[in-house]
Amino acid sequence: MDGHGKSDGCVLPTKRPNNAGGPAAEAVEGRRPAKENTDGSTRPGHSAGPGVPSGLDRVREVARRDKGARFTALLHHVTPERLLVAYRAIRPQAAAGTDGVTWASYGQDLEANLQDLYVRVQSGAYRAKPSRRVYIPKADGRLRPLGIASLEDKIVQRAVVGVLNAIYEVDFLGFSYGFRPGRSPHDALDALAAGTYKKKVNWIIDADIRDFFSKLDQAWLMKFLEHRIADRRVLRLIRKWLAAGVIEDGSWSETPEGTPQGGLCAAEHNAPYEQYRVMRSVGLSGLVRTGSATERCA
């Protein structure tokens, strides 16, 4: 789409809201006003900064115009500039992976490190590292397994996700919030609060896919990706991450199914005070379970 090596900056995908022009709901206890489907436009990460050029506009336009289009040249969009944006989007306090490299230590020679990483990604010499297995408690007393990726894996994953978002963001509807750039569980709760406040609602259904991350069928995941992605180098990168395995107590384990949960997100197992304030404002505080997990990008 764009010439090899051209700076693309970060992806700022946009999506029109389902009810563009509709009135916003009343403000909720000091929070910004709740919106029925929130502002449809996804927002850049805090470190991307305003006015960062995308360079993926043509990819996004083709994806919007032709829902059956398959993209054969995407990896060249993973530029040094995009890797830098990805690095800055990672929380400096994020836990280190199996290699022990922290955000701060990597940043001591950041330009050289990112240039070396860029060359390895583009040449095919990049190797994914196993994730570090840790466990956090769940609300029901069980333990949730997380996989902490190495810093370079996080950087490349974020950069690739930014490229793929240009394709997949145009397919999402305005009421979709999960793992989308610039959206959070709080936005979904704002929309739920506004909807239940303004309309007569008899039922609210809370559904979850049991053990989704640990039972994900990797073969079917790749088949779904191949509906839109025909760049073999991008697909090879994703396969590397799926096949990297995990290290727990010093031992490596293969992951023939599933994918490590937490590569780009760190789960916080805290009481959902923010959610409680939103739901309480519309008389739905009883729907919030104490100890529910929330997630924050790493």
Side-chain angles (χ1 to χ4, degrees), residues 43-70:
R43 301 177 294 281
H46 70 279
S47 58
V52 178
S54 169
L56 288 169
D57 291 337
R58 272 193 255 175
V59 173
R60 188 178 298 109
E61 180 56 34
V62 171
R64 179 183 293 109
R65 186 175 63 247
D66 185 355
K67 299 301 184 182
R70 299 180 73 228

Side-chain angles (χ1 to χ4, degrees), residues 137-188:
K138 299 177 68 173
D140 59 6
R142 295 182 298 163
L143 294 176
R144 182 194 304 275
L146 296 182
I148 308 301
S150 70
L151 187 76
E152 283 197 335
D153 285 339
K154 289 179 182 179
I155 293 172
V156 181
Q157 286 171 10
R158 280 185 177 275
V160 171
V161 166
V163 173
L164 298 185
N165 276 341
I167 299 170
Y168 292 110
E169 272 294 308
V170 301
D171 294 333
F172 283 115
L173 298 177
F175 53 74
S176 175
Y177 295 90
F179 298 98
R180 293 183 62 188
R183 294 190 170 204
S184 73
H186 293 167
D187 296 319

Side-chain angles (χ1 to χ4, degrees), residues 41-278:
S41 298
T42 51
R43 301 177 294 281
H46 70 279
S47 58
V52 178
S54 169
L56 288 169
D57 291 337
R58 272 193 255 175
V59 173
R60 188 178 298 109
E61 180 56 34
V62 171
R64 179 183 293 109
R65 186 175 63 247
D66 185 355
K67 299 301 184 182
R70 299 180 73 228
F71 295 83
T72 59
L74 292 172
L75 191 63
H76 70 276
H77 288 289
V78 179
T79 62
E81 291 80 8
R82 195 176 301 282
L83 293 173
L84 175 60
V85 170
Y87 168 81
R88 289 177 173 170
I90 297 171
R91 290 187 301 113
Q93 301 81 15
T98 54
D99 58 1
V101 177
T102 64
W103 187 90
S105 63
Y106 196 83
Q108 291 177 2
D109 196 8
L110 183 59
E111 184 176 354
N113 286 335
L114 290 180
Q115 182 61 34
D116 176 69
L117 178 59
Y118 167 74
V119 171
R120 282 184 281 130
V121 168
Q122 296 295 331
S123 67
Y126 164 80
R127 296 292 181 266
K129 295 181 175 64
S131 296
R132 180 169 63 87
R133 176 75 78 204
V134 297
Y135 295 89
I136 62 170
K138 299 177 68 173
D140 59 6
R142 295 182 298 163
L143 294 176
R144 182 194 304 275
L146 296 182
I148 308 301
S150 70
L151 187 76
E152 283 197 335
D153 285 339
K154 289 179 182 179
I155 293 172
V156 181
Q157 286 171 10
R158 280 185 177 275
V160 171
V161 166
V163 173
L164 298 185
N165 276 341
I167 299 170
Y168 292 110
E169 272 294 308
V170 301
D171 294 333
F172 283 115
L173 298 177
F175 53 74
S176 175
Y177 295 90
F179 298 98
R180 293 183 62 188
R183 294 190 170 204
S184 73
H186 293 167
D187 296 319
L189 286 165
D190 278 346
L192 177 62
T196 53
Y197 178 78
K198 297 182 66 174
K199 298 180 180 180
K200 182 179 179 180
V201 176
N202 294 323
W203 295 92
I204 296 178
I205 301 176
D206 180 10
D208 187 22
I209 301 176
R210 178 179 298 176
D211 296 331
F212 173 78
F213 286 97
S214 60
K215 300 299 183 182
L216 181 70
D217 189 310
Q218 297 179 3
W220 275 108
L221 172 64
M222 297 308 300
K223 286 180 183 293
F224 280 117
L225 286 171
E226 288 167 3
H227 282 301
R228 291 291 244 169
I229 312 302
D231 188 328
R232 294 182 180 275
R233 296 194 297 167
V234 170
L235 295 173
R236 190 179 302 119
L237 264 180
I238 296 172
R239 288 191 182 97
K240 286 181 179 181
W241 290 322
L242 291 174
V246 298
I247 290 182
E248 182 177 356
D249 296 330
S251 299
W252 177 84
S253 298
E254 186 181 9
T255 51
E257 66 176 356
T259 179
Q261 181 179 0
L264 292 181
C265 289
E268 295 178 307
H269 205 77
N270 300 320
Y273 300 113
E274 290 292 331
Q275 293 93 321
Y276 183 80
R277 285 203 291 267
V278 175

